Amino acid sequence: MEYILNNRQMKEADRYTIEEIGIESLVLMERAALSLVEEMVKKERIMGRILALCGTGNNGGDGMAAARLLHLKGYDVAVECVGDPEKMTAETRRQYEIVRNYQIPVVNNPDYGEYTTIIDALFGIGLTRPVEGICRQKIEAVNESGAHVWSVDIPSGVDGDTGRVMGAAVHADDTVTFAFAKMGHLLYPGREHTGHLWVRDIGIYPHPGEKAGYARCIGREDAGRLLSRDPGGHKGTFGKVLVLAGNLGMCGAAYLAGRAAYAAGAGMVKICVVEENRQILQTLLPEALYGSWDEETVRQGIEWCDAAVAGPGIGQGEEALHMLRCLLGYAREKDLPLILDADGLNLLSGYRALKEMLYPRCVYTPHMMELGRMMGEDIGKLKEQPFDTIERAARDYPGTLVWKDACTITRCPGGALYLNRSGNDGMATAGSGDVLAGLLGGLLASGTRSGADADLAVPLGVYLHGAAGDAAAEKKGRHAMTARDILEGIPTAMTGGKH
């Protein structure tokens, strides 16, 4: 499982490695430069004439050391230093002297269009204020140059905590970062500026007291390890899911959620729908059981199931409110995993009495606008400090929060954070969230039966949903994808890409 660090955590890991482990800062700089050069040579991404654009901090020192290594390999490389040389860190000044000693060209105000490759080593994660003046001009010139850009650690101008652009930021084709990926690499728009991300081990050690607080990222190998089936099991072994969905005109939401629960491995699925939708759904999904929209059916369903999903396509009328209140009450009594999505979240936002019924095994799956309604805040404000937003939401909504976005963030009840790297923009299509809700229901139901860690089931489901979207995009293209294509991609995601 990959760790994702914020700026403070990364600086503490650097400090711990240098001051307590005893590895010299200059040694780490040399290893960082070597890692960058190895990736550049290995990937063979447009070398030709190379310019290392370097600032006065240690990020600039990494760039200067990389320039020297490329020079020694016979590449045509020059260095440009931006900023007051008197403000160079000790390590960067040492690298600058070495560049001079090797007689590597140091240029002033070059034409970036004359270079085929630019190393961006202007700023690292230490940037704390908007880029302006000559540095902004340099960044804009790099972006207009047409050169292939390699960023050192993080594209200059990207906030390592939030992914925000600090006035202006380099659009890198490739970024080589060290020890751990940073939040800003994964969160948009930083993710778009990062290009291809390569994480290299240069000998930086996590502080033992900090590691438990690092955010995580689930990948393909983790999914293969976490997904399991009992070869001696039966349909009851693999969990039962109750789905409250599909009011008039919305039976598609019920179908997508129910079908996704089966695709996640659930042994049985029961869908509570309005009577007008029953025949359509029985034709679409004959494998499922069906129940009516009434309190007794919901009560019996909660007694029967191992996890429940509520909200896709139920509407926000009085009938939907009554059914959700009944389901919440019975699920809370049983302490059942409950996924609340779509209209379920909208109803929570409008009725305080429902919020008072929430409990720690609830899972909330809002997109940006739904989260704004849940918190009564402007969505622009929420995105400024995403992790502060998540912590504030956790105080009002006990359980697990899945903030759906281009980079979905999951916060588990104990505070563990998971950032998701799978998925693509083709998944921004109606019904995609219904598929996720059903997928989570199926995973939580089977996990309840097997005793698996529920905290991992939710970020695993988010990863699989994105991986299914990636499989769909490969088959259909991002422009033409529908939610049913994502459904069809789940088997590929579950088997790690094996058809």
Side-chain angles (χ1 to χ4, degrees):
M1 195 171 295
E2 184 180 356
Y3 290 104
I4 314 295
L5 274 60
N6 60 32
N7 291 345
R8 186 200 62 77
Q9 291 167 337
M10 191 65 229
K11 289 173 184 175
E12 175 58 19
D14 276 334
R15 186 207 63 78
Y16 174 75
T17 300
I18 295 166
E19 296 180 11
E20 299 190 40
I21 297 296
I23 299 177
E24 300 256 352
S25 177
L26 202 60
V27 172
L28 294 177
M29 186 174 283
E30 286 294 315
R31 296 194 64 179
L34 181 60
S35 296
L36 171 64
V37 170
E38 285 176 347
E39 290 295 338
M40 292 177 71
V41 173
K42 182 168 61 177
K43 302 298 184 297
E44 296 182 340
R45 299 209 202 278
I46 310 175
M47 303 296 266
R49 290 194 71 196
I50 306 168
L51 176 69
L53 176 63
C54 303
T56 57
N58 278 1
N59 192 256
D62 294 340
M64 293 178 197
R68 181 232 312 153
L69 293 172
L70 288 165
H71 171 78
L72 292 174
K73 287 180 177 291
Y75 290 98
D76 181 2
V77 61
V79 172
E80 180 185 17
C81 298
V82 179
D84 184 354
E86 295 300 317
K87 294 182 179 179
M88 285 182 179
T89 64
E91 295 85 355
T92 299
R93 180 173 297 282
R94 181 76 176 275
Q95 295 292 356
Y96 181 68
E97 292 168 356
I98 295 171
V99 162
R100 287 291 199 184
N101 290 339
Y102 271 104
Q103 298 183 345
I104 298 168
V106 177
V107 296
N108 295 314
N109 299 315
D111 179 357
Y112 294 163
E114 295 181 356
Y115 295 89
T116 53
T117 301
I118 294 177
I119 297 172
D120 159 38
L122 197 55
F123 302 117
I125 62 170
L127 184 65
T128 58
R129 56 189 174 86
V131 180
E132 53 190 20
I134 187 65
C135 291
R136 180 167 187 148
Q137 294 172 26
K138 295 291 182 183
I139 287 174
E140 291 170 348
V142 168
N143 291 339
E144 293 170 2
S145 68
H148 190 98
V149 180
W150 285 84
S151 283
V152 180
D153 203 21
I154 195 165
S156 293
V158 170
D159 186 318
D161 282 338
T162 67
R164 287 187 297 125
V165 170
M166 307 283 280
V170 167
H171 275 280
D173 297 286
D174 293 271
T175 298
V176 179
T177 196
F178 312 114
F180 306 98
K182 318 304 184 293
M183 301 288 194
H185 292 135
L186 273 63
L187 298 173
Y188 283 86
R191 186 165 172 176
E192 184 178 4
H193 283 259
T194 297
H196 296 279
L197 178 65
W198 314 99
V199 181
R200 292 294 303 264
D201 178 10
I202 62 170
I204 294 175
Y205 297 88
H207 191 292
E210 294 261 320
K211 193 172 181 180
Y214 292 170
R216 298 168 176 83
C217 183
I218 284 182
R220 180 179 296 180
E221 292 183 1
D222 302 307
R225 175 176 56 84
L226 293 170
L227 289 168
S228 63
R229 298 279 284 183
D230 178 0
H234 52 80
K235 63 185 179 183
T237 305
F238 300 119
K240 305 168 187 174
V241 182
L242 180 71
V243 178
L244 176 66
N247 208 331
L248 281 173
M250 297 295 291
C251 63
Y255 164 75
L256 292 168
R259 180 69 187 84
Y262 272 124
M268 302 175 74
V269 176
K270 183 174 185 177
I271 305 176
C272 290
V273 294
V274 295
E275 195 60 34
E276 292 86 346
N277 286 339
R278 183 191 294 265
Q279 185 174 351
I280 300 171
L281 282 166
Q282 285 179 323
T283 302
L284 288 170
L285 192 60
E287 300 90 343
L289 303 170
Y290 292 92
S292 303
W293 270 35
D294 62 73
E295 183 171 349
E296 181 57 23
T297 299
V298 167
R299 186 192 66 78
Q300 292 176 1
I302 291 296
E303 289 299 321
W304 167 84
C305 73
D306 300 299
V309 177
I314 64 173
Q316 298 177 52
E318 288 296 323
E319 186 182 23
L321 174 61
H322 174 69
M323 294 305 299
L324 183 59
R325 184 185 291 116
C326 293
L327 188 145
L328 254 174
Y330 293 127
R332 177 173 176 162
E333 286 180 11
K334 192 181 175 183
D335 195 28
L336 193 76
L338 171 62
I339 295 89
L340 291 160
D341 183 50
D343 286 328
L345 298 173
N346 292 327
L347 286 168
L348 280 184
S349 304
Y351 296 93
R352 186 175 185 84
L354 286 179
K355 287 181 66 175
E356 293 173 353
M357 300 174 71
L358 301 174
Y359 57 101
R361 299 197 76 186
C362 291
V363 178
Y364 316 93
T365 57
H367 56 57
M368 179 62 65
M369 291 186 68
E370 288 165 344
L371 185 61
R373 292 188 203 108
M374 289 168 66
M375 299 185 68
E377 295 185 21
D378 177 76
I379 61 175
K381 182 180 178 182
L382 298 181
K383 292 202 78 167
E384 288 179 4
Q385 295 294 334
F387 300 104
D388 288 345
T389 295
I390 287 171
E391 291 307 312
R392 287 189 290 110
R395 292 196 289 268
D396 290 337
Y397 294 91
T400 302
L401 178 69
V402 179
W403 183 358
K404 296 184 297 194
D405 203 4
C407 174
T408 294
I409 305 172
T410 301
R411 185 199 185 275
C412 298
L417 292 173
Y418 292 84
L419 277 67
N420 188 52
R421 294 179 68 175
S422 65
N424 59 81
D425 53 47
M427 299 176 71
T429 183
S432 177
D434 303 326
V435 174
L436 175 61
L439 184 60
L440 294 177
L443 290 171
L444 284 168
S446 59
T448 299
R449 286 285 180 174
S450 67
D453 187 343
D455 280 4
L456 285 175
V458 177
L460 171 63
V462 171
Y463 164 78
L464 291 171
H465 182 248
D470 289 336
E474 187 174 341
K475 186 175 180 181
K476 295 289 183 71
R478 300 200 310 272
H479 289 85
M481 280 171 57
T482 66
R484 280 200 289 181
D485 296 323
I486 300 172
L487 264 180
E488 292 170 5
I490 293 176
T492 300
M494 300 281 280
T495 56
K498 300 173 183 177
H499 296 276

